[in-house]
Amino acid sequence: MVAVPEPVRTTAKEIYAWYEQQKEEHREHLGASQIGHQCDRYLWYVFRWVNLPTFNGRLLRLFGTGKREEPRVYEELRGIGVELHTEDSGKQIECRDASGHFGGSIDGIGRGFPEAPKTWAILEVKTHGSKSYHEVASKGVETAKPQHYAQMQTYMGLMNVERALYFAVNKDTDEIYVEWVHYNEADAKALQTRATYIIARSTPPERLSADPANWVCKMCDFYKTCHHGGWPEANCRTCSHSTPIENGKWTCSLLVGTIDASWQRVGCKDHVFIPPLVPATPVDGGVNYVEYEAKDGTTFKNGPGHTLSASLSNSTKATKLKRKAIGDNNGVPFDDEIPF
Ligand code: SF4
Ligand code: SF4
């Protein structure tokens, strides 16, 4: 007899698959939520769109669960009399530094909180599993969740607000932990200095660890590219010709002009990888190309009119698909072939 598939499992799988089909894109700016990460190179890889992390459907659903908690918290805070401004009041509250490349979107800003009714405070809502929740409730956010602390210091610095309210929810029990975080000018300035350094660098900064067995590295979205010779994506941010400029914009030294985000996601046929991103040793170079020696001793050239190893073919294919998706990119035609 033919086995009848379990309908519940099929439904769950299809839902996970539906999440996986949703289009994910690189973030244009360096996020305040990331700036507290231990590794400078990680931040640079994020900002330079080296790889887009992929998550399974279950994890994507879990991220959505955290987001869905926010409106409930807003309702509760308004219910106890807090004057709260959030994205549901009309538009997202965005903040950027002077360069326009660093910042984020704030969950909310409000006053009338029972602990300090007259004080305006940034609101940061985070959901936690039980273990993480109890850690933050017992040690405080600065110690238990330094990335969340860095995020709030950045927001306070950019918004010129002296307090933040960290609102933690235990996903397993619905318990609430609230902590007031005070602005620390030295911390906020150090975070801004770090962001400025990452944005200004044209090559990857030092690794957190040269040891691939390091546990932070093993958990890192860029583990393969950073430690095991994985290939970066081909887009403008991994190209030697791109530079971040003022007002959150980017320029291309070949096109001699600014390149918008949709263009950056696709790149052009003149793309040349930033050499340290190529998993091989540079041995020579010429007009608009770099020659590399691979581990097996073979050489190849990267640049317009040259070929790369076959390992880039997937990236090339993805680039073509992306090109198709955005049409002719504001009237500028693309070549059908990308002659890497
Ligand atoms: S793998 Fe390690 S060194 Fe490389 S970016 Fe990630 S955390 Fe940094
Ligand atoms: S040369 Fe092409 S891929 Fe490189 S930055 Fe300019 S437009 Fe982007």
PDB file of all heavy atoms in Angstrom, residues 285-317:
ATOM      1  N   GLY A 285      49.097  42.437 -12.316  1.00  0.00           N
ATOM      2  CA  GLY A 285      47.940  43.271 -12.613  1.00  0.00           C
ATOM      3  C   GLY A 285      48.204  44.128 -13.825  1.00  0.00           C
ATOM      4  O   GLY A 285      49.354  44.277 -14.255  1.00  0.00           O
ATOM      5  N   GLY A 286      47.150  44.633 -14.423  1.00  0.00           N
ATOM      6  CA  GLY A 286      47.298  45.509 -15.588  1.00  0.00           C
ATOM      7  C   GLY A 286      46.146  46.480 -15.601  1.00  0.00           C
ATOM      8  O   GLY A 286      45.527  46.718 -14.567  1.00  0.00           O
ATOM      9  N   VAL A 287      45.863  47.019 -16.781  1.00  0.00           N
ATOM     10  CA  VAL A 287      44.774  47.985 -16.886  1.00  0.00           C
ATOM     11  C   VAL A 287      43.461  47.253 -16.602  1.00  0.00           C
ATOM     12  O   VAL A 287      43.029  46.403 -17.371  1.00  0.00           O
ATOM     13  CB  VAL A 287      44.744  48.633 -18.290  1.00  0.00           C
ATOM     14  CG1 VAL A 287      43.574  49.619 -18.395  1.00  0.00           C
ATOM     15  CG2 VAL A 287      46.058  49.314 -18.576  1.00  0.00           C
ATOM     16  N   ASN A 288      42.890  47.543 -15.458  1.00  0.00           N
ATOM     17  CA  ASN A 288      41.580  47.009 -15.096  1.00  0.00           C
ATOM     18  C   ASN A 288      41.520  45.485 -14.958  1.00  0.00           C
ATOM     19  O   ASN A 288      40.499  44.881 -15.244  1.00  0.00           O
ATOM     20  CB  ASN A 288      40.533  47.475 -16.118  1.00  0.00           C
ATOM     21  CG  ASN A 288      39.217  47.780 -15.442  1.00  0.00           C
ATOM     22  OD1 ASN A 288      39.153  47.838 -14.224  1.00  0.00           O
ATOM     23  ND2 ASN A 288      38.175  47.945 -16.227  1.00  0.00           N
ATOM     24  N   TYR A 289      42.594  44.860 -14.579  1.00  0.00           N
ATOM     25  CA  TYR A 289      42.515  43.437 -14.244  1.00  0.00           C
ATOM     26  C   TYR A 289      43.548  43.102 -13.168  1.00  0.00           C
ATOM     27  O   TYR A 289      44.541  43.817 -13.001  1.00  0.00           O
ATOM     28  CB  TYR A 289      42.697  42.537 -15.482  1.00  0.00           C
ATOM     29  CG  TYR A 289      44.139  42.343 -15.895  1.00  0.00           C
ATOM     30  CD1 TYR A 289      44.916  41.312 -15.336  1.00  0.00           C
ATOM     31  CD2 TYR A 289      44.741  43.188 -16.834  1.00  0.00           C
ATOM     32  CE1 TYR A 289      46.242  41.141 -15.700  1.00  0.00           C
ATOM     33  CE2 TYR A 289      46.058  43.018 -17.202  1.00  0.00           C
ATOM     34  CZ  TYR A 289      46.814  41.989 -16.635  1.00  0.00           C
ATOM     35  OH  TYR A 289      48.118  41.820 -16.982  1.00  0.00           O
ATOM     36  N   VAL A 290      43.305  42.014 -12.471  1.00  0.00           N
ATOM     37  CA  VAL A 290      44.276  41.490 -11.505  1.00  0.00           C
ATOM     38  C   VAL A 290      44.453  40.014 -11.818  1.00  0.00           C
ATOM     39  O   VAL A 290      43.475  39.313 -12.086  1.00  0.00           O
ATOM     40  CB  VAL A 290      43.787  41.671 -10.052  1.00  0.00           C
ATOM     41  CG1 VAL A 290      44.810  41.108  -9.063  1.00  0.00           C
ATOM     42  CG2 VAL A 290      43.505  43.134  -9.744  1.00  0.00           C
ATOM     43  N   GLU A 291      45.704  39.569 -11.817  1.00  0.00           N
ATOM     44  CA  GLU A 291      45.966  38.152 -12.053  1.00  0.00           C
ATOM     45  C   GLU A 291      46.244  37.484 -10.705  1.00  0.00           C
ATOM     46  O   GLU A 291      46.929  38.047  -9.847  1.00  0.00           O
ATOM     47  CB  GLU A 291      47.171  37.968 -12.970  1.00  0.00           C
ATOM     48  CG  GLU A 291      47.402  36.504 -13.317  1.00  0.00           C
ATOM     49  CD  GLU A 291      48.404  36.321 -14.441  1.00  0.00           C
ATOM     50  OE1 GLU A 291      48.967  37.330 -14.919  1.00  0.00           O
ATOM     51  OE2 GLU A 291      48.629  35.166 -14.824  1.00  0.00           O
ATOM     52  N   TYR A 292      45.665  36.299 -10.539  1.00  0.00           N
ATOM     53  CA  TYR A 292      45.774  35.580  -9.264  1.00  0.00           C
ATOM     54  C   TYR A 292      46.351  34.187  -9.498  1.00  0.00           C
ATOM     55  O   TYR A 292      46.180  33.596 -10.570  1.00  0.00           O
ATOM     56  CB  TYR A 292      44.390  35.403  -8.630  1.00  0.00           C
ATOM     57  CG  TYR A 292      43.735  36.697  -8.239  1.00  0.00           C
ATOM     58  CD1 TYR A 292      42.909  37.364  -9.146  1.00  0.00           C
ATOM     59  CD2 TYR A 292      43.922  37.244  -6.972  1.00  0.00           C
ATOM     60  CE1 TYR A 292      42.295  38.553  -8.800  1.00  0.00           C
ATOM     61  CE2 TYR A 292      43.302  38.429  -6.620  1.00  0.00           C
ATOM     62  CZ  TYR A 292      42.495  39.088  -7.533  1.00  0.00           C
ATOM     63  OH  TYR A 292      41.883  40.268  -7.187  1.00  0.00           O
ATOM     64  N   GLU A 293      46.961  33.690  -8.434  1.00  0.00           N
ATOM     65  CA  GLU A 293      47.383  32.287  -8.436  1.00  0.00           C
ATOM     66  C   GLU A 293      46.528  31.552  -7.412  1.00  0.00           C
ATOM     67  O   GLU A 293      46.476  31.926  -6.233  1.00  0.00           O
ATOM     68  CB  GLU A 293      48.859  32.164  -8.067  1.00  0.00           C
ATOM     69  CG  GLU A 293      49.343  30.722  -8.196  1.00  0.00           C
ATOM     70  CD  GLU A 293      50.837  30.606  -7.907  1.00  0.00           C
ATOM     71  OE1 GLU A 293      51.615  31.485  -8.338  1.00  0.00           O
ATOM     72  OE2 GLU A 293      51.201  29.644  -7.209  1.00  0.00           O
ATOM     73  N   ALA A 294      45.838  30.507  -7.887  1.00  0.00           N
ATOM     74  CA  ALA A 294      44.999  29.704  -7.001  1.00  0.00           C
ATOM     75  C   ALA A 294      45.869  28.729  -6.207  1.00  0.00           C
ATOM     76  O   ALA A 294      47.059  28.567  -6.501  1.00  0.00           O
ATOM     77  CB  ALA A 294      43.960  28.951  -7.815  1.00  0.00           C
ATOM     78  N   LYS A 295      45.284  28.081  -5.210  1.00  0.00           N
ATOM     79  CA  LYS A 295      46.042  27.157  -4.355  1.00  0.00           C
ATOM     80  C   LYS A 295      46.674  26.028  -5.151  1.00  0.00           C
ATOM     81  O   LYS A 295      47.732  25.522  -4.808  1.00  0.00           O
ATOM     82  CB  LYS A 295      45.114  26.579  -3.290  1.00  0.00           C
ATOM     83  CG  LYS A 295      45.065  27.429  -2.042  1.00  0.00           C
ATOM     84  CD  LYS A 295      44.352  26.712  -0.932  1.00  0.00           C
ATOM     85  CE  LYS A 295      44.294  27.601   0.296  1.00  0.00           C
ATOM     86  NZ  LYS A 295      43.238  27.256   1.186  1.00  0.00           N
ATOM     87  N   ASP A 296      45.993  25.602  -6.244  1.00  0.00           N
ATOM     88  CA  ASP A 296      46.529  24.486  -7.033  1.00  0.00           C
ATOM     89  C   ASP A 296      47.601  24.937  -8.037  1.00  0.00           C
ATOM     90  O   ASP A 296      48.051  24.161  -8.863  1.00  0.00           O
ATOM     91  CB  ASP A 296      45.387  23.757  -7.756  1.00  0.00           C
ATOM     92  CG  ASP A 296      44.677  24.655  -8.761  1.00  0.00           C
ATOM     93  OD1 ASP A 296      45.120  25.811  -8.966  1.00  0.00           O
ATOM     94  OD2 ASP A 296      43.677  24.205  -9.353  1.00  0.00           O
ATOM     95  N   GLY A 297      47.990  26.225  -7.975  1.00  0.00           N
ATOM     96  CA  GLY A 297      49.063  26.720  -8.827  1.00  0.00           C
ATOM     97  C   GLY A 297      48.584  27.309 -10.147  1.00  0.00           C
ATOM     98  O   GLY A 297      49.367  27.944 -10.858  1.00  0.00           O
ATOM     99  N   THR A 298      47.326  27.115 -10.486  1.00  0.00           N
ATOM    100  CA  THR A 298      46.817  27.698 -11.730  1.00  0.00           C
ATOM    101  C   THR A 298      46.615  29.196 -11.550  1.00  0.00           C
ATOM    102  O   THR A 298      46.441  29.681 -10.422  1.00  0.00           O
ATOM    103  CB  THR A 298      45.469  27.066 -12.143  1.00  0.00           C
ATOM    104  OG1 THR A 298      44.558  27.231 -11.063  1.00  0.00           O
ATOM    105  CG2 THR A 298      45.619  25.595 -12.481  1.00  0.00           C
ATOM    106  N   THR A 299      46.653  29.928 -12.657  1.00  0.00           N
ATOM    107  CA  THR A 299      46.444  31.372 -12.582  1.00  0.00           C
ATOM    108  C   THR A 299      45.201  31.765 -13.371  1.00  0.00           C
ATOM    109  O   THR A 299      44.788  31.051 -14.292  1.00  0.00           O
ATOM    110  CB  THR A 299      47.656  32.148 -13.148  1.00  0.00           C
ATOM    111  OG1 THR A 299      47.870  31.734 -14.488  1.00  0.00           O
ATOM    112  CG2 THR A 299      48.904  31.910 -12.313  1.00  0.00           C
ATOM    113  N   PHE A 300      44.620  32.868 -12.963  1.00  0.00           N
ATOM    114  CA  PHE A 300      43.463  33.397 -13.680  1.00  0.00           C
ATOM    115  C   PHE A 300      43.438  34.908 -13.494  1.00  0.00           C
ATOM    116  O   PHE A 300      44.074  35.445 -12.582  1.00  0.00           O
ATOM    117  CB  PHE A 300      42.152  32.765 -13.172  1.00  0.00           C
ATOM    118  CG  PHE A 300      41.880  32.991 -11.715  1.00  0.00           C
ATOM    119  CD1 PHE A 300      41.158  34.092 -11.294  1.00  0.00           C
ATOM    120  CD2 PHE A 300      42.359  32.093 -10.748  1.00  0.00           C
ATOM    121  CE1 PHE A 300      40.907  34.306  -9.933  1.00  0.00           C
ATOM    122  CE2 PHE A 300      42.115  32.308  -9.399  1.00  0.00           C
ATOM    123  CZ  PHE A 300      41.381  33.424  -8.999  1.00  0.00           C
ATOM    124  N   LYS A 301      42.724  35.563 -14.405  1.00  0.00           N
ATOM    125  CA  LYS A 301      42.640  37.023 -14.334  1.00  0.00           C
ATOM    126  C   LYS A 301      41.203  37.442 -14.053  1.00  0.00           C
ATOM    127  O   LYS A 301      40.271  36.842 -14.578  1.00  0.00           O
ATOM    128  CB  LYS A 301      43.100  37.640 -15.649  1.00  0.00           C
ATOM    129  CG  LYS A 301      44.583  37.466 -15.893  1.00  0.00           C
ATOM    130  CD  LYS A 301      44.970  38.000 -17.256  1.00  0.00           C
ATOM    131  CE  LYS A 301      46.458  37.775 -17.499  1.00  0.00           C
ATOM    132  NZ  LYS A 301      46.836  38.057 -18.879  1.00  0.00           N
ATOM    133  N   ASN A 302      41.061  38.459 -13.249  1.00  0.00           N
ATOM    134  CA  ASN A 302      39.726  39.009 -12.964  1.00  0.00           C
ATOM    135  C   ASN A 302      39.677  40.449 -13.456  1.00  0.00           C
ATOM    136  O   ASN A 302      40.505  41.266 -13.085  1.00  0.00           O
ATOM    137  CB  ASN A 302      39.449  38.961 -11.453  1.00  0.00           C
ATOM    138  CG  ASN A 302      38.204  39.754 -11.061  1.00  0.00           C
ATOM    139  OD1 ASN A 302      38.211  40.481 -10.079  1.00  0.00           O
ATOM    140  ND2 ASN A 302      37.150  39.632 -11.820  1.00  0.00           N
ATOM    141  N   GLY A 303      38.697  40.719 -14.298  1.00  0.00           N
ATOM    142  CA  GLY A 303      38.508  42.055 -14.838  1.00  0.00           C
ATOM    143  C   GLY A 303      37.766  41.942 -16.147  1.00  0.00           C
ATOM    144  O   GLY A 303      37.593  40.837 -16.665  1.00  0.00           O
ATOM    145  N   PRO A 304      37.318  43.060 -16.723  1.00  0.00           N
ATOM    146  CA  PRO A 304      36.566  42.997 -17.970  1.00  0.00           C
ATOM    147  C   PRO A 304      37.362  42.304 -19.071  1.00  0.00           C
ATOM    148  O   PRO A 304      38.534  42.611 -19.274  1.00  0.00           O
ATOM    149  CB  PRO A 304      36.332  44.467 -18.334  1.00  0.00           C
ATOM    150  CG  PRO A 304      36.806  45.267 -17.204  1.00  0.00           C
ATOM    151  CD  PRO A 304      37.507  44.409 -16.218  1.00  0.00           C
ATOM    152  N   GLY A 305      36.735  41.364 -19.734  1.00  0.00           N
ATOM    153  CA  GLY A 305      37.395  40.657 -20.825  1.00  0.00           C
ATOM    154  C   GLY A 305      38.243  39.497 -20.367  1.00  0.00           C
ATOM    155  O   GLY A 305      38.859  38.809 -21.184  1.00  0.00           O
ATOM    156  N   HIS A 306      38.294  39.222 -19.072  1.00  0.00           N
ATOM    157  CA  HIS A 306      39.095  38.104 -18.572  1.00  0.00           C
ATOM    158  C   HIS A 306      38.196  37.068 -17.929  1.00  0.00           C
ATOM    159  O   HIS A 306      37.039  37.319 -17.627  1.00  0.00           O
ATOM    160  CB  HIS A 306      40.128  38.604 -17.558  1.00  0.00           C
ATOM    161  CG  HIS A 306      41.089  39.573 -18.155  1.00  0.00           C
ATOM    162  ND1 HIS A 306      42.088  39.195 -19.022  1.00  0.00           N
ATOM    163  CD2 HIS A 306      41.159  40.920 -18.039  1.00  0.00           C
ATOM    164  CE1 HIS A 306      42.764  40.278 -19.404  1.00  0.00           C
ATOM    165  NE2 HIS A 306      42.219  41.332 -18.824  1.00  0.00           N
ATOM    166  N   THR A 307      38.751  35.904 -17.712  1.00  0.00           N
ATOM    167  CA  THR A 307      37.943  34.839 -17.122  1.00  0.00           C
ATOM    168  C   THR A 307      38.357  34.598 -15.677  1.00  0.00           C
ATOM    169  O   THR A 307      39.514  34.758 -15.319  1.00  0.00           O
ATOM    170  CB  THR A 307      38.130  33.516 -17.891  1.00  0.00           C
ATOM    171  OG1 THR A 307      39.516  33.272 -18.014  1.00  0.00           O
ATOM    172  CG2 THR A 307      37.461  33.582 -19.240  1.00  0.00           C
ATOM    173  N   LEU A 308      37.396  34.228 -14.885  1.00  0.00           N
ATOM    174  CA  LEU A 308      37.672  33.782 -13.521  1.00  0.00           C
ATOM    175  C   LEU A 308      37.493  32.276 -13.489  1.00  0.00           C
ATOM    176  O   LEU A 308      37.002  31.685 -14.441  1.00  0.00           O
ATOM    177  CB  LEU A 308      36.683  34.427 -12.557  1.00  0.00           C
ATOM    178  CG  LEU A 308      37.156  35.658 -11.797  1.00  0.00           C
ATOM    179  CD1 LEU A 308      36.073  36.100 -10.849  1.00  0.00           C
ATOM    180  CD2 LEU A 308      38.423  35.382 -11.027  1.00  0.00           C
ATOM    181  N   SER A 309      37.808  31.669 -12.374  1.00  0.00           N
ATOM    182  CA  SER A 309      37.608  30.230 -12.266  1.00  0.00           C
ATOM    183  C   SER A 309      36.110  29.919 -12.277  1.00  0.00           C
ATOM    184  O   SER A 309      35.274  30.791 -12.039  1.00  0.00           O
ATOM    185  CB  SER A 309      38.216  29.709 -10.975  1.00  0.00           C
ATOM    186  OG  SER A 309      37.474  30.201  -9.904  1.00  0.00           O
ATOM    187  N   ALA A 310      35.795  28.648 -12.534  1.00  0.00           N
ATOM    188  CA  ALA A 310      34.395  28.254 -12.657  1.00  0.00           C
ATOM    189  C   ALA A 310      33.609  28.505 -11.379  1.00  0.00           C
ATOM    190  O   ALA A 310      32.385  28.604 -11.408  1.00  0.00           O
ATOM    191  CB  ALA A 310      34.307  26.783 -13.015  1.00  0.00           C
ATOM    192  N   SER A 311      34.317  28.622 -10.271  1.00  0.00           N
ATOM    193  CA  SER A 311      33.594  28.778  -9.004  1.00  0.00           C
ATOM    194  C   SER A 311      32.781  30.065  -8.942  1.00  0.00           C
ATOM    195  O   SER A 311      31.944  30.231  -8.088  1.00  0.00           O
ATOM    196  CB  SER A 311      34.558  28.707  -7.830  1.00  0.00           C
ATOM    197  OG  SER A 311      35.633  29.563  -8.057  1.00  0.00           O
ATOM    198  N   LEU A 312      33.053  30.991  -9.870  1.00  0.00           N
ATOM    199  CA  LEU A 312      32.258  32.217  -9.847  1.00  0.00           C
ATOM    200  C   LEU A 312      30.994  32.078 -10.686  1.00  0.00           C
ATOM    201  O   LEU A 312      30.155  32.962 -10.676  1.00  0.00           O
ATOM    202  CB  LEU A 312      33.080  33.403 -10.357  1.00  0.00           C
ATOM    203  CG  LEU A 312      32.462  34.773 -10.064  1.00  0.00           C
ATOM    204  CD1 LEU A 312      32.441  35.046  -8.584  1.00  0.00           C
ATOM    205  CD2 LEU A 312      33.175  35.865 -10.779  1.00  0.00           C
ATOM    206  N   SER A 313      30.832  30.994 -11.378  1.00  0.00           N
ATOM    207  CA  SER A 313      29.727  30.919 -12.334  1.00  0.00           C
ATOM    208  C   SER A 313      28.366  31.090 -11.656  1.00  0.00           C
ATOM    209  O   SER A 313      27.468  31.688 -12.223  1.00  0.00           O
ATOM    210  CB  SER A 313      29.770  29.621 -13.118  1.00  0.00           C
ATOM    211  OG  SER A 313      29.707  28.541 -12.227  1.00  0.00           O
ATOM    212  N   ASN A 314      28.223  30.578 -10.448  1.00  0.00           N
ATOM    213  CA  ASN A 314      26.942  30.732  -9.758  1.00  0.00           C
ATOM    214  C   ASN A 314      26.646  32.192  -9.498  1.00  0.00           C
ATOM    215  O   ASN A 314      25.537  32.664  -9.679  1.00  0.00           O
ATOM    216  CB  ASN A 314      26.952  29.998  -8.412  1.00  0.00           C
ATOM    217  CG  ASN A 314      26.765  28.528  -8.633  1.00  0.00           C
ATOM    218  OD1 ASN A 314      26.330  28.124  -9.700  1.00  0.00           O
ATOM    219  ND2 ASN A 314      27.116  27.750  -7.638  1.00  0.00           N
ATOM    220  N   SER A 315      27.681  32.891  -9.052  1.00  0.00           N
ATOM    221  CA  SER A 315      27.514  34.303  -8.768  1.00  0.00           C
ATOM    222  C   SER A 315      27.129  35.050 -10.048  1.00  0.00           C
ATOM    223  O   SER A 315      26.284  35.928 -10.053  1.00  0.00           O
ATOM    224  CB  SER A 315      28.822  34.839  -8.190  1.00  0.00           C
ATOM    225  OG  SER A 315      28.766  36.205  -8.072  1.00  0.00           O
ATOM    226  N   THR A 316      27.762  34.681 -11.162  1.00  0.00           N
ATOM    227  CA  THR A 316      27.484  35.334 -12.432  1.00  0.00           C
ATOM    228  C   THR A 316      26.034  35.092 -12.836  1.00  0.00           C
ATOM    229  O   THR A 316      25.337  35.987 -13.282  1.00  0.00           O
ATOM    230  CB  THR A 316      28.434  34.783 -13.509  1.00  0.00           C
ATOM    231  OG1 THR A 316      29.759  34.975 -13.052  1.00  0.00           O
ATOM    232  CG2 THR A 316      28.241  35.487 -14.828  1.00  0.00           C
ATOM    233  N   LYS A 317      25.602  33.839 -12.647  1.00  0.00           N
ATOM    234  CA  LYS A 317      24.233  33.491 -12.995  1.00  0.00           C
ATOM    235  C   LYS A 317      23.243  34.322 -12.153  1.00  0.00           C
ATOM    236  O   LYS A 317      22.284  34.886 -12.672  1.00  0.00           O
ATOM    237  CB  LYS A 317      24.031  32.000 -12.715  1.00  0.00           C
ATOM    238  CG  LYS A 317      22.845  31.415 -13.420  1.00  0.00           C
ATOM    239  CD  LYS A 317      22.889  29.927 -13.230  1.00  0.00           C
ATOM    240  CE  LYS A 317      21.546  29.325 -13.524  1.00  0.00           C
ATOM    241  NZ  LYS A 317      21.454  27.966 -13.038  1.00  0.00           N
TER     242      LYS A 317
END
